[in-house]
Amino acid sequence: MIGLMIITHETVGQANMQLIQHIFGSVPDKVSLIGVRSSDSLESKHTEVVEKLSALDYGDGVLILTDIFGATPCNLVCRMIKRDNVILLTGLNAPMLIKALQNFAKADDVHKFAEEVKTAAIAGIMTISNQDEL
């Protein structure tokens, strides 16, 4: 099983939590959601991420999803991408989140799983105009 951590800016995390609850009924026990507020101590958030990362490693790796590359949640995690079995995906969107939640418990290769989740995220991005036939 792949561990799944979602770390975002606070309001993005709250919205994702509501989306997860709407679609899945509840947040699975094996998923960790961390919201980062501007008032948070980076040291305490770093400690929280380290603790949860360790708790989520079930042997097949951990996939971490963040909202914006280069922002505080991403930067907190980037320092921890030292092990081969920890992968970070940025640019969190709803298709990425849904794909990750639907499949993390049965996945056993974090690298392959990260690519599948990334593909779902990209496939969920569409450009639609009044010139398109739906």
Side-chain angles (χ1 to χ4, degrees), residues 37-71:
R37 297 182 303 259
S38 59
S39 61
D40 286 337
S41 153
L42 292 182
E43 185 175 304
S44 68
K45 278 296 165 185
H46 176 77
T47 300
E48 180 181 0
V49 171
V50 168
E51 289 171 0
K52 289 190 176 184
L53 184 62
S54 177
L56 288 171
D57 191 351
Y58 305 107
D60 292 316
V62 179
L63 178 62
I64 304 170
L65 308 176
T66 65
D67 48 2
I68 302 170
F69 174 75

Side-chain angles (χ1 to χ4, degrees), residues 8-104:
T8 65
H9 291 91
E10 179 184 24
T11 55
V12 175
Q14 290 168 347
N16 284 318
M17 173 81 77
Q18 290 172 345
L19 177 64
I20 292 167
Q21 290 171 337
H22 174 74
I23 294 172
F24 297 97
S26 64
V27 178
D29 292 335
K30 308 281 189 198
V31 175
S32 179
L33 288 143
I34 300 173
V36 179
R37 297 182 303 259
S38 59
S39 61
D40 286 337
S41 153
L42 292 182
E43 185 175 304
S44 68
K45 278 296 165 185
H46 176 77
T47 300
E48 180 181 0
V49 171
V50 168
E51 289 171 0
K52 289 190 176 184
L53 184 62
S54 177
L56 288 171
D57 191 351
Y58 305 107
D60 292 316
V62 179
L63 178 62
I64 304 170
L65 308 176
T66 65
D67 48 2
I68 302 170
F69 174 75
T72 302
C74 177
N75 292 340
L76 278 170
V77 173
C78 279
R79 294 188 266 171
M80 295 172 215
I81 308 296
K82 296 181 178 156
R83 299 185 321 218
D84 187 47
N85 66 343
V86 177
I87 305 290
L88 170 64
L89 280 179
T90 64
L92 180 62
N93 65 15
M96 177 193 288
L97 183 63
I98 292 166
K99 179 72 169 186
L101 282 163
Q102 285 175 329
N103 297 294
F104 80 95

